[in-house]
Amino acid sequence: MINKISQQEDKLAWVYLVNLTFYLIPLFFGDKPVWQITLALLALIPFVYAYFWAYRSNKHHAYKPILVMIALGIATTPINTGSLSLFTFAGFFIGFFYPLNRALQAFIALAASLFALSYFLEISHYFAIYGTGLVAGIGLFGVAERKRIEAKCKQQQSQDEISQLATMLERERIARDLHDIMGHSLSSISLKAELAEKLLAKGNIAQAQTQLQELNGIARESLSQVRETVSGYKHQGLQASVANLCQTLRDKGLSVSLVGDIPQLEAEVETQVILSVTELCNNIVRHSNASHCQLQFSQDESQHCICIEDDGDSVDITEGNGIKGIRERLNKLGGSLQYRSQPHCQFSLYLPIAGAH
């Protein structure tokens, strides 16, 4: 599920505000007193704030700016029937952030509010009918937009995983090349050193010096080759490690789901997380009879959460050296480890977000 509208979509936020034209039209094409026009225009200030607030919210907090938009719509209806425009913005965000069944309930409540306003303010019933149609239509557009962005995110996630796998294969190739270089070079160095030793024992100083010079040349050449190879072989990072673990689990016959965005962590924290997640995935491979495993990454204002769950047989969990090691690593980072075995085995790693209070 999407928590936030993507940064690329966020750039279009100002463009969508053009729909406020329908809010302004009744103000300047009707015979309204100046005070009503002034109040209606002032109401746009908190509305625009709530609009961008909603744009940058997640599904857990989006209800706050949505309620502000609805409240402003209700408050401005007595002085401007163009308030329907404010209700449609609220309808869009309801459809975008919430499942269809909850969104439909919210649309019904909005429709009831419109009919109540129409009745108590003695506005034409077309206000409620037309407004209900607009809210429902724009709200369903919000649902479709959420589906589109979800599909886009999943596609991007798959592409990232494929890219990480390709990078890992290249690094494995470099590692093999490094092994071949070192194996050949060390064999040559050993042979030259042994020959020089024998020549020295026989008193052939000049020939021994020649062998030692060649040995020195081989060592320097090997050092240059190693540096050149290692320059492209750096720490693969959390994303690549997770992709590698997912592939390992799939190679063992498990289906794997990767949910959420993998966070960017400091190098020290990332190393400890990689070791911990690797230990848990290895436990699944060694001890679980699971057919499916899910790795879920999430976060709130104060902490990251990494949840690893499999559908293997429920067993009593005994803390061995592996789990104790994970707990110690997390404790040093200010985090914690939680787990359960019913109905399936689930481990959750919690890490504080740097700078969060």
Side-chain angles (χ1 to χ4, degrees):
M1 178 62 66
I2 296 177
N3 282 337
K4 292 186 179 181
I5 299 176
S6 67
Q7 293 182 354
Q8 183 177 2
E9 303 294 331
D10 189 57
K11 294 178 182 178
L12 300 175
W14 287 103
V15 176
Y16 295 142
L17 284 175
V18 71
N19 292 301
L20 287 176
T21 303
F22 298 102
Y23 176 84
L24 299 173
I25 288 176
L27 293 177
F28 299 101
F29 286 87
D31 187 16
K32 293 184 181 297
V34 174
W35 69 268
Q36 285 190 1
I37 296 175
T38 302
L39 284 178
L41 292 176
L42 288 175
L44 288 179
I45 297 175
F47 172 79
V48 171
Y49 176 82
Y51 170 77
F52 284 101
W53 181 11
Y55 238 96
R56 295 174 175 85
S57 290
N58 56 45
K59 65 179 181 181
H60 301 295
H61 300 285
Y63 72 92
K64 298 175 183 178
I66 290 173
L67 288 177
V68 171
M69 285 187 277
I70 294 173
L72 289 170
I74 293 173
T76 56
T77 298
I79 59 175
N80 179 23
T81 54
S83 60
L84 283 178
S85 176
L86 309 188
F87 287 106
T88 59
F89 280 98
F92 172 84
F93 286 113
I94 290 172
F96 184 88
F97 282 110
Y98 299 106
L100 185 58
N101 57 341
R102 291 183 62 187
L104 289 176
Q105 294 172 3
F107 294 155
I108 292 173
L110 271 179
S113 300
L114 292 175
F115 277 97
L117 287 171
S118 178
Y119 176 77
F120 288 109
L121 298 177
E122 297 182 352
I123 304 173
S124 171
H125 62 277
Y126 288 111
F127 171 85
I129 296 173
Y130 182 60
T132 298
L134 279 177
V135 168
I138 299 299
L140 291 176
F141 174 74
V143 174
E145 187 70 0
R146 183 184 76 241
K147 297 292 186 183
R148 183 185 70 83
I149 294 179
E150 283 178 344
K152 183 178 178 180
C153 289
K154 288 180 180 178
Q155 182 181 13
Q156 183 62 46
Q157 190 176 58
S158 297
Q159 291 175 350
D160 290 344
E161 187 174 346
I162 291 172
S163 176
Q164 291 293 341
L165 287 173
T167 302
M168 286 168 47
L169 290 174
E170 177 65 12
R171 284 171 174 160
E172 288 177 0
R173 183 191 66 79
I174 294 173
R176 288 193 299 269
D177 291 346
L178 181 61
H179 176 270
D180 293 342
I181 291 170
M182 292 301 295
H184 173 72
S185 299
L186 290 175
S187 296
S188 298
I189 290 172
S190 176
L191 181 61
K192 291 292 182 182
E194 183 179 353
L195 183 56
E197 183 181 9
K198 291 179 179 180
L199 290 171
L200 286 172
K202 294 179 180 180
N204 297 330
I205 305 300
Q207 294 182 11
Q209 286 179 339
T210 301
Q211 295 300 321
L212 289 173
Q213 289 174 355
E214 292 179 2
L215 186 152
N216 184 44
I218 294 172
R220 289 181 179 276
E221 182 181 357
S222 299
L223 180 60
S224 175
Q225 290 177 326
V226 168
R227 284 174 175 171
E228 183 179 351
T229 304
V230 171
S231 64
Y233 189 68
K234 299 179 181 179
H235 177 53
Q236 60 182 348
L238 181 58
Q239 287 195 357
S241 296
V242 169
N244 187 25
L245 291 171
C246 289
Q247 187 59 43
T248 299
L249 291 168
R250 293 187 180 107
D251 291 340
K252 298 298 182 180
L254 283 78
S255 61
V256 181
S257 298
L258 186 59
V259 181
D261 297 325
I262 299 175
Q264 296 290 331
L265 303 174
E266 296 179 0
E268 180 182 356
V269 177
E270 189 176 63
T271 299
Q272 301 304 319
V273 170
I274 290 172
L275 292 172
S276 300
V277 174
T278 300
E279 175 68 23
L280 293 175
C281 289
N282 287 338
N283 284 342
I284 293 175
V285 172
R286 291 194 301 261
H287 306 301
S288 174
N289 294 321
S291 60
H292 178 75
C293 176
Q294 176 175 286
L295 283 75
Q296 181 173 359
F297 294 83
S298 60
Q299 71 178 65
D300 56 22
E301 292 80 2
S302 61
Q303 63 183 357
H304 296 287
C305 177
I306 303 173
C307 180
I308 301 175
E309 182 177 3
D310 65 83
D311 62 356
D313 298 332
S314 300
V315 295
D316 293 330
I317 298 176
T318 302
E319 288 199 12
N321 292 330
I323 295 179
K324 290 179 180 178
I326 294 172
R327 193 181 296 281
E328 289 174 359
R329 292 189 196 102
L330 296 178
N331 287 340
K332 290 180 180 178
L333 299 173
S336 62
L337 171 68
Q338 297 180 12
Y339 58 81
R340 60 175 173 80
S341 59
Q342 302 290 339
H344 299 300
C345 188
Q346 180 188 83
F347 287 83
S348 298
L349 287 66
Y350 296 93
L351 292 163
I353 295 177
H357 297 284

